[in-house]
Amino acid sequence: MEETENRKEPFIPGHHECEICYGGEADLHKHYTSCKKNPGHVNFIPVNDFNLDHLPSRYHDVIMLEQIKALSALTVLIKVKYTSLERPESGPFFSGQYPFYMNRGSDVLRTATGTVYDVVKYTESDNKGTCPCGKCQHSDTPSKVWGEVFVTTATHAVFDVSEARQTKCVVGFDDNKSPGVSLDGWRVEEAHFERDRCEFTCVSCDLELVDELYWTCRRFDDLCVKIREKYWKSDNNDKLTVIVSHPHGCPKKVSVGQWTHIHEGKVWPKYTYTTCTCPGSSGACVYMPGYDGLLTRPHSGSNSVGNYCGEFGMWLY
């Protein structure tokens, strides 16, 4: 690795990559087809078509493919239908006004991407009451067995609890024939403004989905251990950077590229990379298996250098 690649470069604030839909969800396909950043989206691979040939030869490994497939299964489309009155006027990751400052108090739809990182299921014996999801709140027989699904994304996508309560997370939106299943946003666990990372909780009484996500998280964790053992502190020439996201709020895609620069962060370093992103990719997991080892970060935005992430996003196990 060249000396200049080891040195941390100054960070240049850029622009967020949420998709704004003033005309509602009907706008999403129109935004996808008229995209100017990545016309045709040729470097966005449908998750069902992704295979080892899309990776550098050093990563032609069944375990790596399983890992990315598991990450894809945990990737969710985020739909936010409210903008908090508490949003500040400016922020360190973005040039100009902080995203959606001018939309405070409005119900303009925006879409982003998130990643499920843990799941907890409650039964009657846990004394957690009934499921607080929208379906149960309007039911005479709310479920006494339900689950919390923990999601990580960018803070500029979901800023606080007032926004989380007006958020839906869609699991399994892999293609237009598979619309996925929605989870109701409930509360914010942590929202780091200066790192652009938010962890929030969704709730659901769909026990089949809750169980599926739980076991996918466990499989993802197990695969992380194997990936770390094989690639941790290995040659960084590839600088592999993988992102699974919902560009323009449309079905999820996988994009593959390289990180190019390391930047000083508030606590953890940030990265710039060539991996393709679009509006709607904000909050997606930025996965660097050959370099990061245990850490991922949420995608934040795009500047004159390339695409960039927030700081430390979640422990992979």
Side-chain angles (χ1 to χ4, degrees), residues 16-22 24-42 44 76-79 109-113 173 176 244-253 276-282 284 299:
H16 72 84
E17 289 209 302
C18 289
E19 182 67 274
I20 309 171
C21 308
Y22 290 102
E25 293 189 36
D27 278 354
L28 295 176
H29 182 70
K30 179 178 69 176
H31 292 165
Y32 188 90
T33 56
S34 63
C35 176
K36 295 181 180 180
K37 183 179 182 185
N38 292 289
H41 299 91
V42 294
F44 289 83
V76 298
L77 168 63
I78 294 176
K79 299 178 180 180
L109 173 69
R110 64 180 175 275
T111 71
T113 303
F173 184 27
N176 286 318
V244 184
S245 71
H246 284 276
H248 306 284
C250 292
K252 72 180 69 161
K253 302 289 192 295
C276 287
T277 61
C278 266
S281 296
S282 277
H299 174 65

Side-chain angles (χ1 to χ4, degrees), residues 73 75 96 116 126 128 140 163 217 237 274 278 291 305-306:
T75 298
V116 175
D126 293 310
K128 288 289 187 176
D140 294 332
E163 296 186 0
C217 284
N237 287 337
T274 63
C278 266
Y291 183 77
V305 179

